[in-house]
């Protein structure tokens, strides 16, 4: 083979290689492209789950204030931060965070959480009514009414209770979401050792509904029970560690999304799926 033919073969070899790399890159790029409707579905799904978790955190903060008033054992949400006032005649506990207060859990709170309770037994989470007055946690403003009901043992001896949110609104820095939910919490581990919260594990089932910042109605259903571990709180992780939620939108243009919390690790990551598109998100 002469020198000219050798150079030509070398040139075409490089050209084919570059073309194959370019084609592969284009295919990968096309796979990563998300249409506007799917993008909306992903963003809204993240918002709705963020909203639910902030309300659950507020519920636990209310319990901390109530428990602290009862037995002096407050967690990092209220300890050294909130002013707790107990109005015994009306059975109301007011948890006042003032204008800004950073708790031992690293979250900044302001405003008030008001708890109306049935009795002072720490174990009784039944018949609580929780409301908010100018309450914010980090960048989220919360309004609505949380209620608990049905606190009892199930057939295998585990404590369980219903948590409901009525007329909920969460204000992000630039948008609002309306939210209502009904959740059944089952205390699967740690309920026999109240002095040690780190071994508590909860299983969560239920549904929710609401309206997105763009005015689209949505519903969500927990397809695989969510699992929450209190030990994750030491890492400031307030999210479930496993479980799958399906989120559906009334707009036919917006696809159904599943949100998967993974395999049990304490982290802020979840995986969103819509059709053949997948996105891993980090919750705030």
């Amino acid at each position: 083979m002469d020198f000219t033919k050798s150079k030509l073969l070398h040139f075409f070899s490089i050209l084919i290689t570059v073309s194959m790399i370019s084609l592969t890159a284009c295919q990968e790029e096309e796979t990563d492209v998300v249409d506007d409707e799917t993008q909306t579905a992903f963003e809204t799904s993240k918002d709705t789950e963020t909203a639910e978790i902030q309300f659950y955190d507020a519920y636990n903060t209310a319990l901390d204030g109530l428990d602290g008033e009862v037995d002096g054992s407050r967690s990092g949400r209220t300890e050294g931060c909130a002013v707790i006032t107990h109005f015994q005649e009306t059975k109301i506990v007011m948890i006042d965070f003032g204008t800004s207060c950073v708790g031992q859990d690293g979250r900044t709170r302001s405003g008030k959480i008001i708890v109306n309770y049935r009795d002072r037994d720490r174990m009784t989470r039944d018949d609580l009514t929780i409301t908010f007055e100018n309450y914010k946690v980090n960048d989220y403003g919360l309004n609505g009414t949380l209620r608990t009901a049905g606190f009892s043992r199930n057939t295998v001896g585990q404590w369980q209770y219903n948590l409901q949110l009525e007329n909920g609104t969460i204000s992000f820095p630039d948008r609002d979401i309306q939210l209502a939910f009904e959740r059944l919490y089952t205390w699967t581990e740690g309920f026999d050792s109240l002095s040690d919260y780190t071994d508590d594990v909860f299983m969560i089932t239920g549904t929710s509904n609401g309206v997105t910042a763009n005015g689209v109605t949505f519903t969500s259903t927990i397809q695989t029970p969510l699992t929450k571990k209190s030990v994750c709180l030491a890492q400031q992780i307030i999210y479930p560690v496993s479980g799958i939620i399906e989120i559906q939108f009334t707009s036919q243009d917006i696809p159904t999304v599943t949100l998967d919390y993974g395999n049990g690790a304490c982290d802020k990551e979840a995986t969103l799926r819509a059709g053949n598109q997948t996105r891993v998100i980090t919750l705030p």
Side-chain angles (χ1 to χ4, degrees), residues 17-31:
T17 301
V18 171
S19 298
M20 292 178 65
I21 293 173
S22 299
L23 179 60
T24 302
C26 289
Q27 290 174 339
E28 290 177 351
E29 185 177 349
E30 289 174 359
T31 301

Side-chain angles (χ1 to χ4, degrees), residues 27 33 42 45 50 56 62 86 110-111 149 184 199 208 212 225 236 245 268 271 281:
Q27 290 174 339
V33 170
F42 283 159
S45 298
T50 298
Y56 184 68
H86 185 194
S110 61
L184 175 64
D199 61 354
S208 71
T212 72
Q236 300 182 16
I245 301 173
K268 297 181 179 181
T271 301
I281 59 170

Side-chain angles (χ1 to χ4, degrees), residues 7 16 248 276:
K7 287 188 67 176
I16 291 170
Q248 295 182 318
N276 62 353

Side-chain angles (χ1 to χ4, degrees), residues 27-43 253-255 257 272-280:
Q27 290 174 339
E28 290 177 351
E29 185 177 349
E30 289 174 359
T31 301
D32 291 338
V33 170
V34 176
D35 58 61
D36 291 342
E37 290 77 14
T38 302
Q39 178 72 17
T40 297
F42 283 159
E43 291 175 353
D253 295 330
I254 303 178
V257 174
L272 297 174
R273 295 184 178 88
N276 62 353
Q277 299 291 338
T278 299
R279 174 174 296 175
V280 177

